């Protein structure tokens, strides 16, 4: 006698997109493939997007990431040196190596995190040594202006564009994101895209 056997699903076999099983035979059913289930979940919601978290609407530039990588590489050498020195019995010297490595790692992490972050709670300007957080009620506007800007953090200045954060009390935050900083120097299109993304996010939260 003919035996029932599983078959691949066809478009006509699925009544709706929410079905979890397809009947092939009165006595045999096959489950939807894991790929179909994952695709349905991804279509219904973005599993990797959480607007409640602090987010930077742009990526750090290659110059900033490269500088942080060099600091981490130097810290790795110091850690290895510290281990060797400690094995030789010179604990004070090893402690100095470990302490300097910890400082370099901290600077590298804070260097990569430097920038403007947003969340439903407000706007945060993260600098190398300190951060300023404003609630949305304290933010008047964020816009791009033409003005002299520092070139990659050096005293040298050049005419460029900067993202300016104005407060409701009339003050402004120090300029942090420009088209000449470590994130966007030589990348004007990337700066324009980042400025648009940040302004859109600010408009979304202040609406």
């Amino acid at each position: 006698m003919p035996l029932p056997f599983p078959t691949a699903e066809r478009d006509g076999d699925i009544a709706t997109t929410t079905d979890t099983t397809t009947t092939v035979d009165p006595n045999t059913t096959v489950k939807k493939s894991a790929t179909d289930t994952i695709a349905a979940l991804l279509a219904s919601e973005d599993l990797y997007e959480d607007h409640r978290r602090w987010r930077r609407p742009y990526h750090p530039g290659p110059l900033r990431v490269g500088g942080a990588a060099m600091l981490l590489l130097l810290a790795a050498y110091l850690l290895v040196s510290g281990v060797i020195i400690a094995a030789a019995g010179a604990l004070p010297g090893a402690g100095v190596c470990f302490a300097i490595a910890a400082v370099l790692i901290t600077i590298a992490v804070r260097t990569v995190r430097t920038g403007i972050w947003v969340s439903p709670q407000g706007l945060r300007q993260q600098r190398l040594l300190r951060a300023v957080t404003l609630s949305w009620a304290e933010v008047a506007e964020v816009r791009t202006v033409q003005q002299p800007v520092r070139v990659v953090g050096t005293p040298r200045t050049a005419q460029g564009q900067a993202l300016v954060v104005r407060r409701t009390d009339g003050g402004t935050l120090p300029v942090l994101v420009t088209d000449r900083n470590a994130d966007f120097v030589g990348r004007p299109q990337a700066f324009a895209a980042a400025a648009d993304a940040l302004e859109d996010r600010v408009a979304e939260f202040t609406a």
Side-chain angles (χ1 to χ4, degrees):
M1 59 178 293
L3 297 177
F5 58 93
T7 59
E9 293 180 353
R10 298 186 301 273
D11 293 340
D13 294 329
I14 304 175
T16 65
T17 58
T18 58
D19 291 340
T20 57
T21 61
T22 300
T23 302
V24 177
D25 185 86
N27 299 321
T28 306
T29 60
V30 293
K31 295 182 179 180
K32 289 180 67 177
S33 66
T35 303
D36 293 337
T37 303
I38 294 174
L41 288 173
L42 292 176
S44 62
E45 60 178 343
D46 188 346
L47 301 180
Y48 303 100
E49 187 76 13
D50 185 358
H51 292 283
R52 296 170 297 178
R53 298 174 52 196
W54 287 97
R55 302 180 65 86
R56 182 171 45 194
Y58 58 90
H59 298 292
L63 187 60
R64 185 181 300 281
V65 174
M70 293 298 295
L71 291 175
L72 292 176
L73 182 61
L74 181 57
Y77 280 121
L78 286 172
L79 289 173
V80 173
S81 301
V83 171
I84 296 173
I85 293 173
L91 296 182
V96 171
C97 288
F98 291 145
I100 297 176
V103 171
L104 291 177
I105 292 171
T106 301
I107 294 175
V109 172
R110 294 187 69 88
T111 296
V112 172
R113 291 183 58 84
T114 296
I116 296 179
W117 298 69
V118 294
S119 81
Q121 288 75 43
L123 180 146
R124 176 176 296 166
Q125 189 185 68
Q126 179 71 54
R127 307 181 74 181
L128 183 61
L129 299 179
R130 63 190 297 264
V132 177
T133 303
L134 303 176
S135 66
W136 289 118
E138 300 175 279
V139 178
E141 65 174 344
V142 176
R143 64 190 183 95
T144 304
V145 299
Q146 293 278 348
Q147 66 177 46
V149 296
R150 298 174 66 180
V151 179
V152 197
T154 63
R156 177 171 172 265
T157 60
Q159 190 67 22
Q161 300 183 75
L163 274 173
V164 177
V165 179
R166 301 191 185 280
R167 307 175 59 147
T168 53
D169 60 8
T172 60
L173 294 183
V175 174
L176 189 61
V177 178
T178 72
D179 62 348
R180 302 297 179 94
N181 73 349
D183 291 315
F184 303 111
V185 62
R187 304 168 62 224
Q189 294 85 1
F191 174 79
D196 290 341
L198 184 57
E199 291 172 1
D200 290 343
R201 189 62 61 89
V202 170
E204 172 188 345
F205 287 128
T206 57

